[in-house]
Amino acid sequence: MIGIFSISDLPGGAEQVLKQIARYYISKGIKVHYFIFKRKQSHYYKELDSNLFTITYFNNNILKMIFYFFKNREVFERIFSSHVNMNALIGKMMGLKIIKTKCFIARESFSIFSFYKGFKLFKYRMAYFFGYKNIDLLITQTELMKERLMESLPYLNHRLNIVAIHNPFLFPSPEIQNKNVDMEDMEFIVSAGRLMPRKGFDILIKAFKNIKKEHPHLKLILMGEGELRNELEDLVEEIELAGEVKLIGFVANVYPYFKKANACVLSSTIEGFPNVLLQMMSQNERVVSTTCAGDIDKIPGIFLAEPNNQKSLEKALHCALGSNKNRPQNNILFLEYLKERSIENFIRTIDINLKRKQL
């Protein structure tokens, strides 16, 4: 049996990767038990419902989690998890013999040391120190993330097997890609993500204000929910873009919007590696991205902008919207790049690195 542990069931980037791992093992006829620390918030895993899939929620209760494993005594062939706090919690519970597995594979979902400071960063440092002792393989999403982690916590390089493995990407079915969305023949650029500071949506909205001067018929569509909704709505009103910028909330199927858009935009200031960028590339040849994570600058065909730089983002958007000759070539480059990121290659790379550790 495979155990997969996640903080929540909301479909963020880390959750998308864990879901792909679950789907892979189920397709091989292997049972998967999925554990969610928080309360149920979505039906994101409903499609995995089968005789080989079980899901358990702990409702934000560590004692409930401890009692569950004391009572059931499951022994897992492998455990996968993501997020520092979840990785550390499982590692600590393994040290106390509460959770048992033959192999613990943890994934870094974010560059903690590039974002947090003060007491919050201190708490993360303690999580790494006390909770990361029992990890058999620690996965970073890029070489840059690995380098920053080892620079910040050099002792981990001696304690753990750390390897950079690109996030897997699963091509959506034709039914998902081609689902009709009623955009009233609208011309628009689109972005997606949680409405939070590091997504850079405020910078994108301000950049869009100037883009409208050359492309007056364009709208800006933002998909997602979060704490900055009211602030972003106020910004739209303040710079007189009411009706031109649409915050349409959480969208379960983003692919038709990416496919129909005049261009797709990732405006984040910092990321681990943005899975939404891969989703955009699978549908659209005009993709603009800030260099908010390692290896984005190595992707062929992307229109690049500097993070947290409105002028740079405007320039990249102008280039993308004015470019026609490279669109067929970009489509080929994107598809070749995405095929290399299959879940099969992801698991195969994990297997190879685990065998190296055993030698």
Side-chain angles (χ1 to χ4, degrees), residues 6-25:
S6 181
I7 294 287
S8 79
D9 63 3
L10 295 176
E15 291 73 26
Q16 292 176 34
V17 173
L18 293 176
K19 184 178 179 180
Q20 284 195 60
I21 294 170
R23 184 186 286 111
Y24 171 83
Y25 282 107

Side-chain angles (χ1 to χ4, degrees), residues 72-87:
N72 291 278
R73 310 308 295 172
E74 293 170 305
V75 179
F76 300 96
E77 188 70 25
R78 288 182 177 181
I79 282 178
F80 292 86
S81 73
S82 194
H83 298 296
V84 174
N85 289 332
M86 180 57 73
N87 297 341

Side-chain angles (χ1 to χ4, degrees), residues 172-207:
S173 68
E175 292 77 16
I176 291 175
Q177 295 181 64
N178 297 322
K179 184 178 180 181
N180 184 48
V181 289
D182 183 16
M183 299 302 292
E184 300 177 352
D185 296 323
M186 182 190 303
E187 293 187 12
F188 64 93
I189 61 176
V190 65
S191 190
R194 292 176 185 170
L195 306 183
M196 56 194 303
R198 64 183 172 90
K199 297 300 182 180
F201 288 134
D202 55 335
I203 300 169
L204 175 55
I205 291 170
K206 292 173 184 176

Side-chain angles (χ1 to χ4, degrees), residues 101-302:
T101 182
K102 296 179 183 178
C103 184
F104 178 23
I105 302 158
R107 177 181 173 275
E108 293 291 285
S109 59
F110 188 55
S111 295
I112 298 296
F113 299 93
S114 301
F115 192 73
Y116 294 112
K117 297 180 181 179
F119 183 64
K120 193 160 190 176
L121 180 57
F122 173 77
K123 290 194 296 183
Y124 277 117
R125 285 183 177 274
M126 292 299 98
Y128 279 109
F129 185 80
F130 292 106
Y132 270 50
K133 295 180 180 179
N134 294 301
I135 295 173
D136 294 287
L137 184 67
L138 181 62
I139 298 172
T140 62
Q141 300 174 54
T142 65
E143 287 291 345
L144 179 60
M145 184 186 289
K146 178 181 176 180
E147 291 170 8
R148 287 176 175 172
L149 180 64
M150 290 191 296
E151 287 173 1
S152 302
L153 301 173
Y155 66 86
L156 286 182
N157 193 36
H158 304 290
R159 181 187 292 181
L160 300 178
N161 183 16
I162 308 174
V163 61
I165 307 177
H166 289 154
N167 289 347
F169 177 75
L170 178 67
F171 283 93
S173 68
E175 292 77 16
I176 291 175
Q177 295 181 64
N178 297 322
K179 184 178 180 181
N180 184 48
V181 289
D182 183 16
M183 299 302 292
E184 300 177 352
D185 296 323
M186 182 190 303
E187 293 187 12
F188 64 93
I189 61 176
V190 65
S191 190
R194 292 176 185 170
L195 306 183
M196 56 194 303
R198 64 183 172 90
K199 297 300 182 180
F201 288 134
D202 55 335
I203 300 169
L204 175 55
I205 291 170
K206 292 173 184 176
F208 179 69
K209 172 78 172 180
N210 291 328
I211 292 295
K212 286 281 290 181
K213 295 175 183 177
E214 291 189 24
H215 302 274
H217 300 298
L218 273 183
K219 308 288 186 183
L220 172 61
I221 305 294
L222 300 180
M223 298 185 286
E225 281 295 350
E227 72 241 33
L228 290 187
R229 169 173 276 279
N230 291 338
E231 187 174 320
L232 293 175
E233 288 176 339
D234 290 344
L235 175 61
V236 169
E237 292 286 341
E238 179 185 335
I239 62 176
E240 301 179 342
L241 285 178
E244 304 300 311
V245 178
K246 299 180 181 294
L247 283 75
I248 64 175
F250 172 75
V251 175
N253 180 9
V254 297
Y255 290 101
Y257 292 89
F258 293 160
K259 188 172 185 176
K260 186 176 174 59
N262 292 59
C264 300
V265 189
L266 177 75
S267 56
S268 297
T269 58
I270 186 171
E271 296 278 359
F273 188 90
N275 289 333
V276 70
L277 178 61
L278 305 179
Q279 294 174 323
M280 291 173 174
M281 290 168 58
S282 74
Q283 304 301 311
N284 202 306
E285 300 86 4
R286 293 172 170 174
V287 177
V288 175
S289 176
T290 59
T291 52
C292 57
D295 296 342
I296 289 180
D297 59 339
K298 299 176 184 178
I299 301 176
I302 297 286

